[in-house]
């Protein structure tokens, strides 16, 4: 339930609040203030991530070096930048490369838990196997993709639209043939 309140705000600050209103993601001034308060108070933030690393050769691609870090470590950095500290990684049973590289996550300032797939399950199968460990909203990433997404803003949009799932996409050049 929402309650109507009255606020007195500095004119310059109010202009910044009004600048957030786009009529789509941020519907109005009241919505902008509510979003800012929620963000500032740490409510409605994603706190968990699921990284899909169960496919064939996933660990090879996830541990491939890009600059001074493995691709998967770049993704862990992204999660940490967005205050996500609890990470579940779906890995193939018997493939210890990712577990050996990351351990329990402490060296990355994360808590990492592993779910082992007895056989390759595909994305839906990995998600189903992992669901018992999730229990709340989460962000899902593929282990071998580099991305730079504002995860918390994407989640705010997801919640504002009452979505079941939200996907971040980007255009890529077609390099076939």
């Amino acid at each position: 339930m929402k309650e109507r309140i009255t606020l007195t705000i500095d004119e310059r600050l109010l202009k910044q609040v009004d600048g957030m209103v786009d009529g789509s993601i941020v519907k109005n001034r009241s919505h902008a203030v509510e979003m800012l308060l929620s963000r500032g108070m740490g409510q409605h933030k994603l706190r968990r991530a699921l990284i899909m690393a169960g496919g064939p050769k996933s660990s090879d691609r996830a541990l491939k070096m890009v600059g001074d870090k493995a691709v998967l470590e770049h993704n862990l950095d992204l999660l940490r930048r967005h205050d996500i500290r609890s990470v579940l990684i779906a890995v193939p049973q018997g493939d210890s490369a990712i577990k050996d590289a990351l351990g329990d996550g402490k060296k990355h300032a994360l808590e990492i838990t592993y779910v082992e797939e007895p056989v390759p399950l595909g994305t839906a199968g990995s998600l189903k196997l992992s669901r018992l460990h999730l229990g709340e909203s989460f962000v899902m990433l593929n282990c071998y993709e580099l991305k730079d997404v504002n995860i918390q803003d994407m989640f705010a949009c997801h919640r504002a639209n009452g979505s079941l799932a939200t996907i971040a996409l980007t255009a890529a050049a077609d390099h076939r043939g």
Side-chain angles (χ1 to χ4, degrees), residues 121-157:
L121 299 172
T123 302
S126 291
L127 186 56
K128 184 175 182 180
L129 182 66
S130 301
R131 77 176 189 259
L132 298 174
H133 301 277
L134 295 166
E136 61 186 84
S137 294
F138 62 95
V139 61
M140 186 172 85
L141 302 91
N142 286 319
C143 66
Y144 47 81
E145 297 173 347
L146 288 174
K147 58 195 79 41
D148 187 16
V149 175
N150 187 320
I151 295 171
Q152 297 299 349
D153 282 354
M154 189 171 138
F155 184 58
C157 179

PDB file of all heavy atoms in Angstrom, residues 121-157:
ATOM      1  N   LEU A 121      22.613 -30.246 -19.100  1.00  0.00           N
ATOM      2  CA  LEU A 121      21.173 -30.047 -18.988  1.00  0.00           C
ATOM      3  C   LEU A 121      20.639 -28.908 -19.852  1.00  0.00           C
ATOM      4  O   LEU A 121      19.427 -28.728 -19.935  1.00  0.00           O
ATOM      5  CB  LEU A 121      20.809 -29.766 -17.520  1.00  0.00           C
ATOM      6  CG  LEU A 121      21.140 -30.868 -16.520  1.00  0.00           C
ATOM      7  CD1 LEU A 121      20.907 -30.385 -15.093  1.00  0.00           C
ATOM      8  CD2 LEU A 121      20.314 -32.108 -16.807  1.00  0.00           C
ATOM      9  N   GLY A 122      21.513 -28.112 -20.424  1.00  0.00           N
ATOM     10  CA  GLY A 122      21.050 -26.936 -21.167  1.00  0.00           C
ATOM     11  C   GLY A 122      20.627 -25.846 -20.192  1.00  0.00           C
ATOM     12  O   GLY A 122      20.584 -26.046 -18.976  1.00  0.00           O
ATOM     13  N   THR A 123      20.284 -24.686 -20.720  1.00  0.00           N
ATOM     14  CA  THR A 123      19.953 -23.539 -19.873  1.00  0.00           C
ATOM     15  C   THR A 123      18.761 -23.817 -18.965  1.00  0.00           C
ATOM     16  O   THR A 123      18.826 -23.590 -17.752  1.00  0.00           O
ATOM     17  CB  THR A 123      19.678 -22.303 -20.750  1.00  0.00           C
ATOM     18  OG1 THR A 123      20.843 -22.045 -21.544  1.00  0.00           O
ATOM     19  CG2 THR A 123      19.370 -21.087 -19.900  1.00  0.00           C
ATOM     20  N   ALA A 124      17.676 -24.322 -19.520  1.00  0.00           N
ATOM     21  CA  ALA A 124      16.474 -24.567 -18.713  1.00  0.00           C
ATOM     22  C   ALA A 124      16.733 -25.634 -17.649  1.00  0.00           C
ATOM     23  O   ALA A 124      16.291 -25.508 -16.503  1.00  0.00           O
ATOM     24  CB  ALA A 124      15.303 -24.975 -19.600  1.00  0.00           C
ATOM     25  N   GLY A 125      17.472 -26.661 -18.003  1.00  0.00           N
ATOM     26  CA  GLY A 125      17.779 -27.712 -17.048  1.00  0.00           C
ATOM     27  C   GLY A 125      18.669 -27.214 -15.907  1.00  0.00           C
ATOM     28  O   GLY A 125      18.453 -27.559 -14.747  1.00  0.00           O
ATOM     29  N   SER A 126      19.665 -26.401 -16.250  1.00  0.00           N
ATOM     30  CA  SER A 126      20.541 -25.822 -15.219  1.00  0.00           C
ATOM     31  C   SER A 126      19.747 -24.920 -14.295  1.00  0.00           C
ATOM     32  O   SER A 126      19.950 -24.928 -13.073  1.00  0.00           O
ATOM     33  CB  SER A 126      21.656 -24.996 -15.864  1.00  0.00           C
ATOM     34  OG  SER A 126      22.558 -25.810 -16.538  1.00  0.00           O
ATOM     35  N   LEU A 127      18.863 -24.145 -14.871  1.00  0.00           N
ATOM     36  CA  LEU A 127      18.023 -23.246 -14.077  1.00  0.00           C
ATOM     37  C   LEU A 127      17.133 -24.045 -13.128  1.00  0.00           C
ATOM     38  O   LEU A 127      17.027 -23.730 -11.940  1.00  0.00           O
ATOM     39  CB  LEU A 127      17.193 -22.365 -15.007  1.00  0.00           C
ATOM     40  CG  LEU A 127      16.357 -21.283 -14.375  1.00  0.00           C
ATOM     41  CD1 LEU A 127      17.208 -20.352 -13.525  1.00  0.00           C
ATOM     42  CD2 LEU A 127      15.653 -20.477 -15.470  1.00  0.00           C
ATOM     43  N   LYS A 128      16.535 -25.116 -13.631  1.00  0.00           N
ATOM     44  CA  LYS A 128      15.669 -25.957 -12.797  1.00  0.00           C
ATOM     45  C   LYS A 128      16.472 -26.598 -11.664  1.00  0.00           C
ATOM     46  O   LYS A 128      16.036 -26.619 -10.514  1.00  0.00           O
ATOM     47  CB  LYS A 128      14.996 -27.030 -13.650  1.00  0.00           C
ATOM     48  CG  LYS A 128      14.007 -27.871 -12.876  1.00  0.00           C
ATOM     49  CD  LYS A 128      13.273 -28.830 -13.777  1.00  0.00           C
ATOM     50  CE  LYS A 128      12.259 -29.622 -12.964  1.00  0.00           C
ATOM     51  NZ  LYS A 128      11.515 -30.555 -13.785  1.00  0.00           N
ATOM     52  N   LEU A 129      17.675 -27.092 -11.970  1.00  0.00           N
ATOM     53  CA  LEU A 129      18.523 -27.710 -10.958  1.00  0.00           C
ATOM     54  C   LEU A 129      18.950 -26.681  -9.899  1.00  0.00           C
ATOM     55  O   LEU A 129      19.065 -27.009  -8.722  1.00  0.00           O
ATOM     56  CB  LEU A 129      19.769 -28.306 -11.628  1.00  0.00           C
ATOM     57  CG  LEU A 129      20.760 -29.044 -10.736  1.00  0.00           C
ATOM     58  CD1 LEU A 129      20.122 -30.315 -10.161  1.00  0.00           C
ATOM     59  CD2 LEU A 129      22.005 -29.392 -11.532  1.00  0.00           C
ATOM     60  N   SER A 130      19.138 -25.452 -10.296  1.00  0.00           N
ATOM     61  CA  SER A 130      19.631 -24.390  -9.406  1.00  0.00           C
ATOM     62  C   SER A 130      18.548 -23.734  -8.572  1.00  0.00           C
ATOM     63  O   SER A 130      18.841 -23.058  -7.586  1.00  0.00           O
ATOM     64  CB  SER A 130      20.325 -23.313 -10.246  1.00  0.00           C
ATOM     65  OG  SER A 130      21.393 -23.864 -10.972  1.00  0.00           O
ATOM     66  N   ARG A 131      17.294 -23.898  -8.941  1.00  0.00           N
ATOM     67  CA  ARG A 131      16.200 -23.144  -8.313  1.00  0.00           C
ATOM     68  C   ARG A 131      16.120 -23.305  -6.799  1.00  0.00           C
ATOM     69  O   ARG A 131      15.747 -22.389  -6.094  1.00  0.00           O
ATOM     70  CB  ARG A 131      14.870 -23.464  -8.974  1.00  0.00           C
ATOM     71  CG  ARG A 131      14.291 -24.789  -8.568  1.00  0.00           C
ATOM     72  CD  ARG A 131      12.902 -25.024  -9.171  1.00  0.00           C
ATOM     73  NE  ARG A 131      12.330 -26.202  -8.588  1.00  0.00           N
ATOM     74  CZ  ARG A 131      12.302 -27.382  -9.169  1.00  0.00           C
ATOM     75  NH1 ARG A 131      12.797 -27.533 -10.382  1.00  0.00           N
ATOM     76  NH2 ARG A 131      11.777 -28.411  -8.563  1.00  0.00           N
ATOM     77  N   LEU A 132      16.500 -24.458  -6.290  1.00  0.00           N
ATOM     78  CA  LEU A 132      16.435 -24.678  -4.844  1.00  0.00           C
ATOM     79  C   LEU A 132      17.409 -23.786  -4.079  1.00  0.00           C
ATOM     80  O   LEU A 132      17.226 -23.525  -2.903  1.00  0.00           O
ATOM     81  CB  LEU A 132      16.720 -26.142  -4.522  1.00  0.00           C
ATOM     82  CG  LEU A 132      15.729 -27.150  -5.102  1.00  0.00           C
ATOM     83  CD1 LEU A 132      16.198 -28.572  -4.825  1.00  0.00           C
ATOM     84  CD2 LEU A 132      14.336 -26.922  -4.528  1.00  0.00           C
ATOM     85  N   HIS A 133      18.444 -23.316  -4.763  1.00  0.00           N
ATOM     86  CA  HIS A 133      19.464 -22.486  -4.124  1.00  0.00           C
ATOM     87  C   HIS A 133      19.205 -20.994  -4.301  1.00  0.00           C
ATOM     88  O   HIS A 133      19.943 -20.179  -3.761  1.00  0.00           O
ATOM     89  CB  HIS A 133      20.849 -22.811  -4.694  1.00  0.00           C
ATOM     90  CG  HIS A 133      21.238 -24.232  -4.503  1.00  0.00           C
ATOM     91  ND1 HIS A 133      21.792 -24.708  -3.334  1.00  0.00           N
ATOM     92  CD2 HIS A 133      21.139 -25.301  -5.331  1.00  0.00           C
ATOM     93  CE1 HIS A 133      22.025 -25.999  -3.456  1.00  0.00           C
ATOM     94  NE2 HIS A 133      21.636 -26.385  -4.649  1.00  0.00           N
ATOM     95  N   LEU A 134      18.189 -20.639  -5.065  1.00  0.00           N
ATOM     96  CA  LEU A 134      17.983 -19.225  -5.394  1.00  0.00           C
ATOM     97  C   LEU A 134      16.993 -18.559  -4.445  1.00  0.00           C
ATOM     98  O   LEU A 134      17.360 -17.695  -3.680  1.00  0.00           O
ATOM     99  CB  LEU A 134      17.572 -19.076  -6.855  1.00  0.00           C
ATOM    100  CG  LEU A 134      18.676 -19.500  -7.826  1.00  0.00           C
ATOM    101  CD1 LEU A 134      18.146 -19.664  -9.238  1.00  0.00           C
ATOM    102  CD2 LEU A 134      19.820 -18.511  -7.790  1.00  0.00           C
ATOM    103  N   GLY A 135      15.738 -18.915  -4.496  1.00  0.00           N
ATOM    104  CA  GLY A 135      14.759 -18.439  -3.527  1.00  0.00           C
ATOM    105  C   GLY A 135      14.367 -16.978  -3.594  1.00  0.00           C
ATOM    106  O   GLY A 135      13.562 -16.532  -2.807  1.00  0.00           O
ATOM    107  N   GLU A 136      14.929 -16.210  -4.463  1.00  0.00           N
ATOM    108  CA  GLU A 136      14.593 -14.789  -4.588  1.00  0.00           C
ATOM    109  C   GLU A 136      14.972 -14.347  -5.994  1.00  0.00           C
ATOM    110  O   GLU A 136      15.514 -15.122  -6.767  1.00  0.00           O
ATOM    111  CB  GLU A 136      15.357 -13.957  -3.547  1.00  0.00           C
ATOM    112  CG  GLU A 136      16.867 -14.030  -3.692  1.00  0.00           C
ATOM    113  CD  GLU A 136      17.603 -13.322  -2.568  1.00  0.00           C
ATOM    114  OE1 GLU A 136      17.799 -13.929  -1.511  1.00  0.00           O
ATOM    115  OE2 GLU A 136      17.978 -12.161  -2.775  1.00  0.00           O
ATOM    116  N   SER A 137      14.692 -13.109  -6.320  1.00  0.00           N
ATOM    117  CA  SER A 137      15.076 -12.597  -7.640  1.00  0.00           C
ATOM    118  C   SER A 137      16.582 -12.687  -7.801  1.00  0.00           C
ATOM    119  O   SER A 137      17.332 -12.548  -6.829  1.00  0.00           O
ATOM    120  CB  SER A 137      14.633 -11.142  -7.800  1.00  0.00           C
ATOM    121  OG  SER A 137      13.230 -11.055  -7.802  1.00  0.00           O
ATOM    122  N   PHE A 138      17.026 -12.928  -9.035  1.00  0.00           N
ATOM    123  CA  PHE A 138      18.454 -13.083  -9.298  1.00  0.00           C
ATOM    124  C   PHE A 138      18.751 -12.651 -10.723  1.00  0.00           C
ATOM    125  O   PHE A 138      17.853 -12.547 -11.563  1.00  0.00           O
ATOM    126  CB  PHE A 138      18.890 -14.539  -9.079  1.00  0.00           C
ATOM    127  CG  PHE A 138      18.203 -15.514  -9.997  1.00  0.00           C
ATOM    128  CD1 PHE A 138      18.784 -15.915 -11.184  1.00  0.00           C
ATOM    129  CD2 PHE A 138      16.952 -16.022  -9.670  1.00  0.00           C
ATOM    130  CE1 PHE A 138      18.141 -16.800 -12.032  1.00  0.00           C
ATOM    131  CE2 PHE A 138      16.286 -16.917 -10.503  1.00  0.00           C
ATOM    132  CZ  PHE A 138      16.889 -17.302 -11.695  1.00  0.00           C
ATOM    133  N   VAL A 139      20.022 -12.415 -10.987  1.00  0.00           N
ATOM    134  CA  VAL A 139      20.474 -12.143 -12.338  1.00  0.00           C
ATOM    135  C   VAL A 139      21.190 -13.402 -12.823  1.00  0.00           C
ATOM    136  O   VAL A 139      21.883 -14.062 -12.053  1.00  0.00           O
ATOM    137  CB  VAL A 139      21.401 -10.904 -12.412  1.00  0.00           C
ATOM    138  CG1 VAL A 139      22.652 -11.082 -11.586  1.00  0.00           C
ATOM    139  CG2 VAL A 139      21.754 -10.565 -13.860  1.00  0.00           C
ATOM    140  N   MET A 140      20.963 -13.752 -14.084  1.00  0.00           N
ATOM    141  CA  MET A 140      21.589 -14.936 -14.661  1.00  0.00           C
ATOM    142  C   MET A 140      22.532 -14.497 -15.775  1.00  0.00           C
ATOM    143  O   MET A 140      22.165 -13.676 -16.615  1.00  0.00           O
ATOM    144  CB  MET A 140      20.516 -15.873 -15.215  1.00  0.00           C
ATOM    145  CG  MET A 140      21.074 -17.186 -15.709  1.00  0.00           C
ATOM    146  SD  MET A 140      19.767 -18.351 -16.146  1.00  0.00           S
ATOM    147  CE  MET A 140      19.421 -17.836 -17.815  1.00  0.00           C
ATOM    148  N   LEU A 141      23.739 -15.044 -15.766  1.00  0.00           N
ATOM    149  CA  LEU A 141      24.744 -14.713 -16.775  1.00  0.00           C
ATOM    150  C   LEU A 141      25.316 -15.988 -17.370  1.00  0.00           C
ATOM    151  O   LEU A 141      25.399 -17.003 -16.679  1.00  0.00           O
ATOM    152  CB  LEU A 141      25.924 -13.949 -16.148  1.00  0.00           C
ATOM    153  CG  LEU A 141      25.690 -12.665 -15.428  1.00  0.00           C
ATOM    154  CD1 LEU A 141      25.440 -12.879 -13.964  1.00  0.00           C
ATOM    155  CD2 LEU A 141      26.889 -11.782 -15.603  1.00  0.00           C
ATOM    156  N   ASN A 142      25.757 -15.908 -18.613  1.00  0.00           N
ATOM    157  CA  ASN A 142      26.550 -16.989 -19.191  1.00  0.00           C
ATOM    158  C   ASN A 142      28.000 -16.716 -18.827  1.00  0.00           C
ATOM    159  O   ASN A 142      28.453 -15.573 -18.858  1.00  0.00           O
ATOM    160  CB  ASN A 142      26.375 -17.046 -20.710  1.00  0.00           C
ATOM    161  CG  ASN A 142      25.029 -17.605 -21.095  1.00  0.00           C
ATOM    162  OD1 ASN A 142      24.556 -18.561 -20.500  1.00  0.00           O
ATOM    163  ND2 ASN A 142      24.398 -16.997 -22.074  1.00  0.00           N
ATOM    164  N   CYS A 143      28.736 -17.752 -18.522  1.00  0.00           N
ATOM    165  CA  CYS A 143      30.079 -17.613 -17.965  1.00  0.00           C
ATOM    166  C   CYS A 143      31.101 -17.069 -18.960  1.00  0.00           C
ATOM    167  O   CYS A 143      32.140 -16.571 -18.569  1.00  0.00           O
ATOM    168  CB  CYS A 143      30.568 -18.956 -17.444  1.00  0.00           C
ATOM    169  SG  CYS A 143      30.813 -20.191 -18.736  1.00  0.00           S
ATOM    170  N   TYR A 144      30.824 -17.151 -20.234  1.00  0.00           N
ATOM    171  CA  TYR A 144      31.845 -16.836 -21.231  1.00  0.00           C
ATOM    172  C   TYR A 144      31.546 -15.553 -22.013  1.00  0.00           C
ATOM    173  O   TYR A 144      32.156 -15.292 -23.035  1.00  0.00           O
ATOM    174  CB  TYR A 144      32.008 -18.006 -22.197  1.00  0.00           C
ATOM    175  CG  TYR A 144      30.699 -18.539 -22.710  1.00  0.00           C
ATOM    176  CD1 TYR A 144      30.027 -17.915 -23.750  1.00  0.00           C
ATOM    177  CD2 TYR A 144      30.124 -19.664 -22.132  1.00  0.00           C
ATOM    178  CE1 TYR A 144      28.809 -18.396 -24.191  1.00  0.00           C
ATOM    179  CE2 TYR A 144      28.910 -20.154 -22.582  1.00  0.00           C
ATOM    180  CZ  TYR A 144      28.269 -19.512 -23.615  1.00  0.00           C
ATOM    181  OH  TYR A 144      27.063 -19.983 -24.058  1.00  0.00           O
ATOM    182  N   GLU A 145      30.623 -14.758 -21.542  1.00  0.00           N
ATOM    183  CA  GLU A 145      30.283 -13.508 -22.226  1.00  0.00           C
ATOM    184  C   GLU A 145      30.823 -12.319 -21.448  1.00  0.00           C
ATOM    185  O   GLU A 145      30.731 -12.271 -20.229  1.00  0.00           O
ATOM    186  CB  GLU A 145      28.764 -13.349 -22.327  1.00  0.00           C
ATOM    187  CG  GLU A 145      28.106 -14.413 -23.150  1.00  0.00           C
ATOM    188  CD  GLU A 145      26.585 -14.321 -23.099  1.00  0.00           C
ATOM    189  OE1 GLU A 145      26.034 -13.593 -22.248  1.00  0.00           O
ATOM    190  OE2 GLU A 145      25.962 -15.005 -23.894  1.00  0.00           O
ATOM    191  N   LEU A 146      31.364 -11.348 -22.180  1.00  0.00           N
ATOM    192  CA  LEU A 146      31.758 -10.083 -21.563  1.00  0.00           C
ATOM    193  C   LEU A 146      30.596  -9.124 -21.717  1.00  0.00           C
ATOM    194  O   LEU A 146      29.980  -9.043 -22.777  1.00  0.00           O
ATOM    195  CB  LEU A 146      32.996  -9.508 -22.255  1.00  0.00           C
ATOM    196  CG  LEU A 146      34.292 -10.237 -21.983  1.00  0.00           C
ATOM    197  CD1 LEU A 146      35.404  -9.663 -22.844  1.00  0.00           C
ATOM    198  CD2 LEU A 146      34.664 -10.175 -20.517  1.00  0.00           C
ATOM    199  N   LYS A 147      30.294  -8.420 -20.645  1.00  0.00           N
ATOM    200  CA  LYS A 147      29.168  -7.481 -20.698  1.00  0.00           C
ATOM    201  C   LYS A 147      29.428  -6.334 -19.745  1.00  0.00           C
ATOM    202  O   LYS A 147      30.195  -6.465 -18.795  1.00  0.00           O
ATOM    203  CB  LYS A 147      27.859  -8.186 -20.358  1.00  0.00           C
ATOM    204  CG  LYS A 147      27.859  -8.839 -18.988  1.00  0.00           C
ATOM    205  CD  LYS A 147      26.758  -9.817 -18.766  1.00  0.00           C
ATOM    206  CE  LYS A 147      26.874 -11.175 -19.315  1.00  0.00           C
ATOM    207  NZ  LYS A 147      27.998 -11.982 -19.331  1.00  0.00           N
ATOM    208  N   ASP A 148      28.785  -5.212 -20.023  1.00  0.00           N
ATOM    209  CA  ASP A 148      28.835  -4.069 -19.117  1.00  0.00           C
ATOM    210  C   ASP A 148      27.423  -3.517 -19.038  1.00  0.00           C
ATOM    211  O   ASP A 148      27.031  -2.673 -19.830  1.00  0.00           O
ATOM    212  CB  ASP A 148      29.818  -3.010 -19.607  1.00  0.00           C
ATOM    213  CG  ASP A 148      30.004  -1.901 -18.592  1.00  0.00           C
ATOM    214  OD1 ASP A 148      29.624  -2.084 -17.418  1.00  0.00           O
ATOM    215  OD2 ASP A 148      30.517  -0.838 -18.976  1.00  0.00           O
ATOM    216  N   VAL A 149      26.658  -4.045 -18.100  1.00  0.00           N
ATOM    217  CA  VAL A 149      25.252  -3.710 -17.935  1.00  0.00           C
ATOM    218  C   VAL A 149      25.063  -3.153 -16.533  1.00  0.00           C
ATOM    219  O   VAL A 149      25.646  -3.663 -15.580  1.00  0.00           O
ATOM    220  CB  VAL A 149      24.380  -4.992 -18.094  1.00  0.00           C
ATOM    221  CG1 VAL A 149      22.926  -4.715 -17.820  1.00  0.00           C
ATOM    222  CG2 VAL A 149      24.565  -5.605 -19.455  1.00  0.00           C
ATOM    223  N   ASN A 150      24.230  -2.113 -16.406  1.00  0.00           N
ATOM    224  CA  ASN A 150      23.903  -1.634 -15.072  1.00  0.00           C
ATOM    225  C   ASN A 150      22.816  -2.563 -14.536  1.00  0.00           C
ATOM    226  O   ASN A 150      21.625  -2.380 -14.798  1.00  0.00           O
ATOM    227  CB  ASN A 150      23.433  -0.185 -15.084  1.00  0.00           C
ATOM    228  CG  ASN A 150      23.254   0.344 -13.685  1.00  0.00           C
ATOM    229  OD1 ASN A 150      22.759  -0.359 -12.799  1.00  0.00           O
ATOM    230  ND2 ASN A 150      23.642   1.583 -13.468  1.00  0.00           N
ATOM    231  N   ILE A 151      23.245  -3.564 -13.804  1.00  0.00           N
ATOM    232  CA  ILE A 151      22.339  -4.625 -13.349  1.00  0.00           C
ATOM    233  C   ILE A 151      21.238  -4.084 -12.446  1.00  0.00           C
ATOM    234  O   ILE A 151      20.074  -4.461 -12.589  1.00  0.00           O
ATOM    235  CB  ILE A 151      23.144  -5.736 -12.634  1.00  0.00           C
ATOM    236  CG1 ILE A 151      24.078  -6.414 -13.638  1.00  0.00           C
ATOM    237  CG2 ILE A 151      22.213  -6.748 -11.985  1.00  0.00           C
ATOM    238  CD1 ILE A 151      25.069  -7.368 -13.004  1.00  0.00           C
ATOM    239  N   GLN A 152      21.572  -3.208 -11.523  1.00  0.00           N
ATOM    240  CA  GLN A 152      20.558  -2.709 -10.582  1.00  0.00           C
ATOM    241  C   GLN A 152      19.525  -1.835 -11.300  1.00  0.00           C
ATOM    242  O   GLN A 152      18.330  -1.901 -10.987  1.00  0.00           O
ATOM    243  CB  GLN A 152      21.214  -1.978  -9.406  1.00  0.00           C
ATOM    244  CG  GLN A 152      22.103  -2.870  -8.548  1.00  0.00           C
ATOM    245  CD  GLN A 152      21.384  -4.042  -7.873  1.00  0.00           C
ATOM    246  OE1 GLN A 152      20.168  -4.151  -7.835  1.00  0.00           O
ATOM    247  NE2 GLN A 152      22.172  -4.956  -7.319  1.00  0.00           N
ATOM    248  N   ASP A 153      19.948  -1.021 -12.275  1.00  0.00           N
ATOM    249  CA  ASP A 153      18.978  -0.228 -13.043  1.00  0.00           C
ATOM    250  C   ASP A 153      18.073  -1.134 -13.876  1.00  0.00           C
ATOM    251  O   ASP A 153      16.870  -0.892 -13.990  1.00  0.00           O
ATOM    252  CB  ASP A 153      19.685   0.781 -13.949  1.00  0.00           C
ATOM    253  CG  ASP A 153      20.172   2.004 -13.202  1.00  0.00           C
ATOM    254  OD1 ASP A 153      19.864   2.149 -11.995  1.00  0.00           O
ATOM    255  OD2 ASP A 153      20.873   2.830 -13.825  1.00  0.00           O
ATOM    256  N   MET A 154      18.666  -2.184 -14.437  1.00  0.00           N
ATOM    257  CA  MET A 154      17.880  -3.134 -15.212  1.00  0.00           C
ATOM    258  C   MET A 154      16.854  -3.821 -14.307  1.00  0.00           C
ATOM    259  O   MET A 154      15.696  -4.006 -14.687  1.00  0.00           O
ATOM    260  CB  MET A 154      18.820  -4.160 -15.843  1.00  0.00           C
ATOM    261  CG  MET A 154      18.167  -5.076 -16.827  1.00  0.00           C
ATOM    262  SD  MET A 154      19.444  -6.035 -17.657  1.00  0.00           S
ATOM    263  CE  MET A 154      18.663  -7.617 -17.657  1.00  0.00           C
ATOM    264  N   PHE A 155      17.260  -4.151 -13.088  1.00  0.00           N
ATOM    265  CA  PHE A 155      16.337  -4.784 -12.146  1.00  0.00           C
ATOM    266  C   PHE A 155      15.231  -3.822 -11.723  1.00  0.00           C
ATOM    267  O   PHE A 155      14.076  -4.219 -11.589  1.00  0.00           O
ATOM    268  CB  PHE A 155      17.100  -5.306 -10.917  1.00  0.00           C
ATOM    269  CG  PHE A 155      16.230  -6.045  -9.942  1.00  0.00           C
ATOM    270  CD1 PHE A 155      15.500  -7.161 -10.337  1.00  0.00           C
ATOM    271  CD2 PHE A 155      16.146  -5.643  -8.627  1.00  0.00           C
ATOM    272  CE1 PHE A 155      14.702  -7.853  -9.435  1.00  0.00           C
ATOM    273  CE2 PHE A 155      15.354  -6.324  -7.719  1.00  0.00           C
ATOM    274  CZ  PHE A 155      14.627  -7.428  -8.124  1.00  0.00           C
ATOM    275  N   ALA A 156      15.570  -2.553 -11.536  1.00  0.00           N
ATOM    276  CA  ALA A 156      14.549  -1.553 -11.184  1.00  0.00           C
ATOM    277  C   ALA A 156      13.501  -1.469 -12.294  1.00  0.00           C
ATOM    278  O   ALA A 156      12.300  -1.403 -12.031  1.00  0.00           O
ATOM    279  CB  ALA A 156      15.191  -0.195 -10.939  1.00  0.00           C
ATOM    280  N   CYS A 157      13.953  -1.487 -13.535  1.00  0.00           N
ATOM    281  CA  CYS A 157      13.030  -1.470 -14.681  1.00  0.00           C
ATOM    282  C   CYS A 157      12.189  -2.749 -14.688  1.00  0.00           C
ATOM    283  O   CYS A 157      10.971  -2.706 -14.912  1.00  0.00           O
ATOM    284  CB  CYS A 157      13.834  -1.344 -15.973  1.00  0.00           C
ATOM    285  SG  CYS A 157      12.839  -1.334 -17.458  1.00  0.00           S
TER     286      CYS A 157
END
